Amino acid sequence: MRGAFSMLGVKFLGERRVEAEDGAACCVVSTRSLELLAFLVTNEGVPQQRRVLASLLWPDSQESQARTNLRRELHNLRGAIGDDASLEIGTSTLTWRDRPSCRVDVRVFETERIAAASAESIGDAKEWLAHAEAAIDAYRGDFMPGDLEEWVLEARLSLLRGCVDLCDDVIAALRDSGEMSRALDLVRRRVQLMPLEETGYRSLMELQIETGDRAAAMSTYHRCAALFERELGVGPDLETTAIFDRLLNRRAPIDPHVVASSTPARKGGFSGAAFVGRVRELDALVKLWRDADAGERTAALVYGEPGVGKSRLVAELADFASSE
């Protein structure tokens, strides 16, 4: 068994690993052990029943086999993290409790975010900004990247949304205080975090316009438009195109708030643009759908490189199924 580290690093944002933060080699932990650790960490301080954990991690196994699997992974996990007191092992429960001997990146993010909210509640703008920026810096990427378990996806979305909301608030504060360079760096980060959300592109275009870089703003618009057409089969909404129109001096400046209030919310689906190409693939999916509707068991896997139109193809099938 590995001895206890002076400081243990648990990293789930943008990566999945356990390491000694004194520069020692990274611990080798199995994928399932990391999932077990991640679930305990995200429920810090709450004892988790072993039978519930076994069912969560091995839903397709019989209870006895799932419990055996859990004991194996717990043994592996304990061998990796040593005798660190953060992991409490009871007869029927497992509990993670934060200790000074362990630094968990998810907890750093959440702690800084809570501290920012507390500072904001008492009107301490300086402390709010410091904690908000520290939280954003701690968010190094998606929670448990590559893992598609339902509970992981829910936690991932919650953490991502929390970071993006902080970005929006800090961008606005930096913009108001005239710190345009810092604001531009952060809004670019925001676009990377949510590449299919137009708010980031609009903020970036506005900042680029305000700093006099009209060419960069036009490039941002075209990049946004190309991405949305390629991934979603739609163009930017009216609030975004209004900024572009103003940039080109096609008409008088438009108040974004007026545009937003008159722009209907974008609905799901891709009915706004004609479906071009992939007809053979769509016909194959429609045939499978009809076979399934007739009572046959069918399945289809849509795969390909990013940007080839997978989402649009499936959306067309969904539209057809709805019409049926």
Side-chain angles (χ1 to χ4, degrees):
M1 177 179 290
R2 187 187 297 273
F5 294 121
S6 57
M7 176 62 76
L8 191 69
V10 178
K11 300 185 177 182
F12 290 133
L13 296 176
E15 56 186 325
R16 300 187 296 174
R17 63 176 176 166
V18 178
E19 66 181 7
E21 295 209 329
D22 60 2
C26 182
C27 305
V28 178
V29 186
S30 71
T31 298
R32 196 64 83 180
S33 293
L34 285 171
E35 288 182 351
L36 170 61
L37 180 58
F39 187 82
L40 295 173
V41 162
T42 54
N43 292 277
E44 191 272 337
V46 181
Q48 302 295 319
Q49 293 291 326
R50 291 192 182 215
R51 58 179 178 79
V52 175
L53 290 170
S55 176
L56 175 74
L57 297 174
W58 293 276
D60 298 326
S61 298
Q62 293 186 356
E63 182 178 355
S64 59
Q65 182 60 54
R67 295 287 291 268
T68 299
N69 294 341
L70 178 62
R71 287 193 294 271
R72 182 189 65 239
E73 296 303 332
L74 181 59
H75 175 77
N76 293 338
L77 183 59
R78 174 54 79 191
I81 70 175
D83 297 324
D84 191 276
S86 302
L87 180 59
E88 297 181 356
I89 302 177
T91 303
S92 60
T93 63
L94 301 176
T95 310
W96 179 269
R97 299 188 190 277
D98 292 332
R99 308 287 186 188
S101 59
C102 187
R103 184 179 188 275
V104 183
D105 58 359
V106 173
R107 194 75 62 243
V108 174
F109 170 75
E110 291 287 14
T111 299
E112 293 293 348
R113 184 167 66 152
I114 292 171
S118 178
E120 184 180 29
S121 68
I122 62 175
D124 191 333
K126 183 177 180 180
E127 280 296 301
W128 167 79
L129 183 60
H131 288 296
E133 289 188 311
I136 294 169
D137 185 62
Y139 188 89
R140 298 303 179 91
D142 286 343
F143 174 69
M144 292 286 284
D147 197 309
L148 300 179
E149 295 294 332
E150 185 175 353
W151 71 268
V152 172
L153 295 177
E154 291 178 359
R156 181 181 300 159
L157 180 59
S158 177
L159 290 164
L160 174 59
R161 189 73 258 173
C163 184
V164 168
D165 289 345
L166 277 179
C167 285
D168 288 337
D169 292 340
V170 173
I171 290 166
L174 294 175
R175 187 175 179 180
D176 290 342
S177 63
E179 299 180 73
M180 305 302 279
S181 178
R182 289 174 64 193
L184 278 166
D185 288 340
L186 190 54
V187 78
R188 291 190 182 98
R189 171 89 186 282
R190 199 253 193 247
V191 169
Q192 290 176 345
L193 290 174
M194 283 286 209
L196 295 179
E197 191 171 89
E198 291 186 52
T199 302
Y201 295 98
R202 287 196 290 268
S203 296
L204 180 56
M205 290 171 66
E206 290 282 12
L207 282 168
Q208 289 167 330
I209 292 171
E210 289 180 25
T211 56
D213 197 344
R214 295 167 61 85
M218 293 179 69
S219 176
T220 296
Y221 174 82
H222 287 302
R223 181 157 53 92
C224 171
L227 177 66
F228 274 61
E229 175 60 33
R230 182 174 69 247
E231 294 294 330
L232 304 177
V234 298
D237 64 27
L238 291 181
E239 190 173 352
T240 307
T241 56
I243 299 174
F244 187 63
D245 287 340
R246 186 178 69 201
L247 184 65
L248 295 179
N249 290 318
R250 291 179 178 174
R251 48 179 174 264
I254 298 174
D255 184 347
H257 298 291
V258 174
V259 175
S261 65
S262 62
T263 303
R266 176 174 291 166
K267 299 180 180 179
F270 302 89
S271 58
F275 181 68
V276 179
R278 304 298 181 191
V279 174
R280 183 175 62 181
E281 290 85 350
L282 180 58
D283 286 345
L285 289 175
V286 167
K287 181 181 184 302
L288 286 173
W289 165 258
R290 285 178 170 151
D291 290 344
D293 190 44
E296 295 185 26
R297 293 185 178 182
T298 64
L301 173 65
V302 178
Y303 65 96
E305 296 296 323
V308 298
K310 300 184 297 295
S311 297
R312 179 65 192 277
L313 178 62
V314 174
E316 288 294 324
L317 176 64
D319 287 344
F320 171 81
S322 297
S323 68
E324 290 283 287

